[in-house]
Amino acid sequence: MTRMFVLALLLAGMPCAYAVELPRMFSDGMVLQRGQPIPVWGRAAPGAKVAVTLDGKAVSAVADAKGDWRVLLPAHAAGGPLKMRIDDGIAPVELGDVLVGDVWLASGQSNMEWPVQSSTNAEQVIASAGDAKIRHFKIPKSWSAKPEHDLVGGSWAAASPQTVATFSAVGYAFARELRAATGVPIGIIDSTWGGSNIQTWMSAASLGID
């Protein structure tokens, strides 16, 4: 009984071990910005060493007391698909079909939110969609009075007749023009909310709110 009690105390004093957590933006099919150091962040057990590897280049960081960690991978030329491995020593995570190109934020109200399926010549645009190096990430509508560790949903989707109908029409047209001009993968992050006012897009500090 005494041994069991001592063992329980030892286990209680050990740091909680749990798998590394990544924001939804870091997932299969993502597009990373070319030509600049690439930030990657997430959460892990406090004190855990987290190693992130992309195309043979590895960097590591130690999670702080809250479990937060962040690394900066070296700049990478446009290309892919690649794999990214995130290893916290407990349960490694491997992300596939990763592209490196140009990433753009498409934000605003209804004009930017308007989907391909509701735009002019929608059937033709949808039927002709087939460029897997155009990727779209739709941020779900949600709000919070404070910064959050992650989004409530969302995933990367490659342009195809099965997916492009719900893409931002302006964002998709922009992406096609960029693909034709640059030849590199294009990622569109669609953060839109029709009818929203400007204050909801501003920080509390900028509005003079403590």
Side-chain angles (χ1 to χ4, degrees):
M1 181 67 113
T2 301
R3 291 180 187 173
M4 292 298 293
F5 179 70
V6 171
L7 179 59
L9 287 177
L10 289 172
L11 290 174
M14 294 176 64
C16 178
Y18 53 88
V20 66
E21 298 176 4
L22 296 169
R24 293 177 188 271
M25 202 70 70
F26 295 110
S27 56
D28 293 335
M30 65 182 172
V31 182
L32 302 172
Q33 179 59 45
R34 62 170 169 155
Q36 298 181 16
I38 301 169
V40 182
W41 64 90
R43 307 183 80 186
K49 181 180 179 180
V50 181
V52 180
T53 305
L54 178 70
D55 199 19
K57 304 293 185 181
V59 292
S60 63
V62 176
D64 65 19
K66 294 182 179 180
D68 296 323
W69 57 269
R70 184 179 186 274
V71 301
L72 202 60
L73 287 162
H76 198 291
L82 305 170
K83 291 182 179 179
M84 177 183 287
R85 181 180 174 86
I86 303 95
D87 189 353
D88 65 345
I90 300 170
V93 175
E94 190 168 275
L95 307 178
D97 194 23
V98 176
L99 300 180
V100 182
D102 288 336
V103 183
W104 295 83
L105 174 64
S107 190
Q109 299 181 321
S110 55
N111 286 347
M112 185 64 78
E113 184 181 32
W114 197 258
V116 170
Q117 62 191 0
S118 300
S119 63
T120 303
N121 300 321
E123 290 185 5
Q124 179 182 345
V125 172
I126 292 170
S128 64
D131 189 345
K133 290 190 176 181
I134 293 178
R135 307 282 171 90
H136 183 274
F137 188 105
K138 178 67 174 87
I139 296 178
K141 292 179 179 178
S142 64
W143 70 275
S144 174
K146 64 183 191 311
E148 298 288 344
H149 284 285
D150 200 1
L151 302 169
V152 298
S155 61
W156 286 97
S160 73
Q162 292 72 44
T163 63
V164 80
T166 57
F167 286 16
S168 160
V170 173
Y172 180 55
F174 181 64
R176 287 188 300 167
E177 291 292 326
L178 288 175
R179 278 282 292 148
T182 67
V184 305
I186 302 294
I188 299 293
I189 299 173
D190 179 359
S191 178
T192 54
W193 195 326
S196 56
N197 57 43
I198 187 60
Q199 288 84 352
T200 58
W201 297 93
M202 299 167 66
S203 67
S206 66
L207 293 171
I209 301 173
D210 293 331

